[in-house]
Amino acid sequence: MPDVLTELKATADASVSTPTWSLRDEDLVECLDLVHAVVQAVAAVQSRLVREIDSRGLAITRHASSTKAWLREHLRISPHAAKRMLELAQALDARPVLAKAVADGLVNTEQAQVIAAALRRLPAEVVGKAEKAMIGRAAEFEPNTLRRYGEGILAYVAPSSPRPLTRRRWSGWRPGRGRRGRFT
């Protein structure tokens, strides 16, 4: 794997210095799509590596308090970015179908996080069908719309399940007495 990744890095480095001004409009869009697909495939590989590092406890052996803390220090990223990276790695490890969809470019990493969060809230008997449905909709829905789609699935299969307050539900909130308000 290190040889393949070194070659990928060299190819990416060569592409950085290639001028883009001479590309036709269609080629420009095609290149953007290809780069996005490569980024998603690389994110899938990164997630597998992070999950393996986490499962081996390498962060602790390297004197970090957690994998998230180690990622933050090692990669010099924000705590929020480290948390997202670790959560994505854990989600893709737990959901092989979703991991394959990311690797195949059917779902981007942001959509994968939304799908994983929705699946965690669903009853076990519908998770497989919901996962396939959400992956199928990823081609047409951006993450926020995909999140609402997942909430719709939850409302359909578990109508009594507590829902998070959406913007629409907050719009009915009015100030009340004390620290609490009321919904109209």
Side-chain angles (χ1 to χ4, degrees), residues 34 36 67 69 114-115 118 126 133 135 138 149 151-152 154:
L34 287 169
H36 184 71
T67 301
V114 167
I115 292 170
V126 298
I135 289 170
Y149 183 73
E151 288 171 359
L154 177 63

Side-chain angles (χ1 to χ4, degrees), residues 107-176:
V107 174
N108 66 46
T109 56
E110 195 175 1
Q111 290 171 318
Q113 289 172 321
V114 167
I115 292 170
L119 296 177
R120 283 192 295 270
R121 298 181 62 210
L122 292 173
E125 61 271 10
V126 298
V127 166
K129 282 185 176 180
E131 181 177 38
K132 287 178 185 168
M134 291 186 79
I135 289 170
R137 293 294 188 163
E140 56 191 283
F141 292 160
E142 51 86 28
N144 287 328
T145 305
L146 198 57
R147 180 178 291 112
R148 287 192 301 275
Y149 183 73
E151 288 171 359
I153 292 172
L154 177 63
Y156 181 75
V157 298
S160 62
S161 177
R163 296 181 311 168
L165 291 177
T166 60
R167 183 176 291 148
R168 178 180 290 156
R169 289 187 64 208
W170 271 117
S171 67
W173 185 86
R174 300 291 176 256

Side-chain angles (χ1 to χ4, degrees), residues 26 34 53 87 92 112 152 154:
E26 300 81 25
L34 287 169
I53 287 168
E87 286 175 350
L92 295 183
L154 177 63

